Structures are given as structure tokens and as C-alpha cells.
Amino acid sequence: MTEPMTLAVRLAAPIARVRQALTDPAELRVWLAEHAEVELPERYEFWGRYTPEGDAPHQRVLHADDDRLRFAWLLDGVETTTEITLSADGPDATVLRLSQTHFDFNDVINGTSIRGVLQTYWALTIANLEAHLAGQPLLPKVDFTGTDFRGELEIAAPADKVWESLTDSEQASAWFGYPIGIEPWVGGRYAMGGFDSGFAAKVVDLEPGRRMSVDWGAPGVTSWELTESEGRTKLTFVQSGFDEQNPPYAAWAGSVSGLAELRRFHEVPDWQPIWLPEETSAATAG
């Protein structure tokens, strides 16, 4: 078996507050899942359309105490293990670490198992936990029962600044947390991993300062558009043109999770990413 996939974040909330958000079923129904029921140490269940194979709860508690939650999660006929640990980082911040077994990147590439979504699913879920704790609107969750991939995000910054951060390679690499090479013109490359990564998508539509579309091949075309009002920018983003029998859930979750940091990049003074880089290289890469 491969080593467990790990993610780590620093959340600007005391450990007791984070623990409450992780264990209160009413809060879980806001940021985690459509349905959730918790009765620790016996029960920690979540299901619904925003959960992979969410037709019913498939979790079984293995361990629960004040700082650690570990549960088995049956996915595609395999019992995986998820572990979440909390540690205080001073009085007003918490480090959350998550590990997930049975994630294989080949499942992302080949679409052979729903377990291929686990890395970006958890990245988006944790980003929404951070937004929930900060009192910010959530990013769109992935609807694993549908194929309509679209959403909106409002950013407290003018459109020209948002445009620059979306099309400048250095800025985009900073907020996304992974190298991105961007040639912002029709026919230009959009390279996850940078221009030397061996693969680059293609910019197929662009109106400077307003919209851009990138063709990724099988995962479809990612498009976004900016509109500004009173110094704030609405970012509308859509993924289309994919095989609806094999929706690119993993890629969509990775793209959306990155937009949480885009918002923080513009709105948080002295911005630093929530992701702890030594443990989250490519955490949000889809």
C-alpha cells in the first residue's frame, strides 16, 4: 500500500472552536456534507450528494478523543482510513492534520475509482472549514450526483487586481500553492507544474481583464469571467465539455479549492496560505 495522503493547515481559531465545528452535526451540515450525525465515540457519519458514494453513511469510528478522530470509510468496496488531529498553535490558532489511506494518483488519471477524488475532496472540504470558521461564504461543494460544474465567488478587490492574480504565473503559483505557468493569450499554455512539467493545457478564449477559457482535454474546458461593482469583483467559473459519464470531480474540486486562497490572497492583510507547505505540496493540485 502507498503511504497515506496527508494535508495540514493552520486555522485562525482556537482549538475548542475547531473541535466544535468538527463534531457538531449542525455545523457539519454547513461545511462538510448534506447530512451528518455524530454521537462520539460511537458514531461519526456523513453522507448525501456532497460526499463520494454518499447514498448512505459508510463511516465507522475507530478512535475519538479531544484531539484525534479516526474513522474507517468504505469507498468503492475498500475500507479506507481517515484520521484528523488537532494541536493548538497559541491561544487563537489550531493546526489540523488529516491523513487518508488508499489514495492513488493513478485513480485520478484513469478514473478507475472514486477514491481518486480523495485528495482534492479533502482540500476543498478543509478550505470550506476555514471559510466557515472565518465567517466567509463557502466555496461550492462538489455534487457527486450531478454534472453541472459552475459557481461564483465574490472578492473584495477590484477586477484588474483579480485579473492580474489569475493570469500572472508568479501570483497564481503563490495563491494556488503549486507552480503554474501561464501564457495569457489565445493559444498560450496553461501549465500545472510549470512550463517544464511536460503537460500544458491551452488557452482557447481570452478577453483581457474580463474572461479566459482553458482547454484541459478530457477534463473539459475551465472558464471564468470577472465583473466588478463598487470595488468588489464577482468571479464566475464553469467547467464544461467533458464526458458526462465520467465527470472530472477530482479536477473540479482541486480548481475550486484553490479559489479559497485566491480570495484570501486579496482580502487578508499580510496574507499567508493556510496550507503548511512542508506537508501539502500539491495539496490543491487537480
Side-chain angles (χ1 to χ4, degrees):
M1 184 190 303
T2 58
E3 290 296 315
M5 177 272 294
T6 61
L7 302 172
V9 293
R10 184 180 186 273
L11 301 169
I15 191 169
R17 176 69 190 97
V18 178
R19 186 184 301 118
Q20 177 184 350
L22 281 168
T23 57
D24 182 284
E27 292 200 50
L28 291 172
R29 293 178 203 125
V30 174
W31 65 267
L32 174 64
E34 188 177 14
H35 309 292
E37 296 295 340
V38 177
E39 295 176 7
L40 292 174
E42 289 82 20
R43 186 183 188 193
Y44 192 88
E45 296 177 338
F46 54 94
W47 70 101
R49 57 184 174 149
Y50 304 128
T51 302
E53 295 191 340
D55 57 306
H58 297 296
Q59 300 81 28
R60 177 173 60 87
V61 174
L62 301 174
H63 175 85
D65 58 32
D66 285 348
D67 303 319
R68 187 183 306 271
L69 171 66
R70 185 168 67 250
F71 56 88
W73 184 5
L74 187 67
L75 286 168
D76 196 18
V78 174
E79 190 169 78
T80 76
T81 301
T82 307
E83 181 171 275
I84 300 171
T85 62
L86 304 178
S87 57
D89 186 11
D92 299 318
T94 303
V95 173
L96 180 151
R97 291 181 171 86
L98 181 144
S99 69
Q100 173 68 61
T101 67
H102 295 84
F103 170 75
D104 186 339
F105 194 73
N106 287 323
D107 291 333
V108 181
I109 302 300
N110 302 324
T112 50
S113 172
I114 191 62
R115 296 190 301 273
V117 309
L118 284 169
Q119 186 182 46
T120 54
Y121 164 79
W122 280 123
L124 176 55
T125 298
I126 293 172
N128 270 335
L129 170 59
E130 189 281 332
H132 173 68
L133 292 168
Q136 290 275 22
L138 302 189
L139 275 294
K141 303 180 184 76
V142 179
D143 183 347
F144 290 97
T145 68
T147 57
D148 185 15
F149 293 176
R150 64 184 64 239
E152 294 180 352
L153 176 67
E154 187 171 274
I155 301 171
D160 62 337
K161 295 296 185 183
V162 177
W163 170 267
E164 182 180 0
S165 64
L166 284 165
T167 57
D168 176 78
S169 298
E170 183 176 351
Q171 291 188 45
S173 299
W175 59 259
F176 197 76
Y178 192 64
I180 304 177
I182 304 171
E183 294 174 339
W185 55 80
V186 173
R189 294 174 293 170
Y190 195 104
M192 297 300 298
F195 291 128
D196 297 327
S197 67
F199 172 80
K202 183 179 180 181
V203 178
V204 293
D205 181 59
L206 185 141
E207 180 182 335
R210 185 165 180 266
R211 70 173 190 267
M212 184 165 79
S213 297
V214 178
D215 187 347
W216 296 92
V221 176
T222 301
S223 303
W224 48 259
E225 183 173 337
L226 305 179
T227 56
E228 182 178 339
S229 177
E230 298 180 349
R232 301 178 68 89
T233 300
K234 182 173 73 172
L235 170 63
T236 302
F237 45 97
V238 179
Q239 190 145 341
S240 60
F242 50 83
D243 177 4
E244 293 194 357
Q245 300 304 310
N246 187 27
Y249 294 125
W252 175 244
S255 298
V256 177
S257 67
L259 296 178
E261 277 304 325
L262 172 66
R263 178 170 61 188
R264 295 183 69 257
F265 180 79
H266 286 283
E267 295 186 354
V268 175
D270 301 318
W271 169 84
Q272 292 292 325
I274 64 171
W275 304 102
L276 302 183
E278 67 274 12
E279 298 185 59
T280 58
S281 58
T284 55

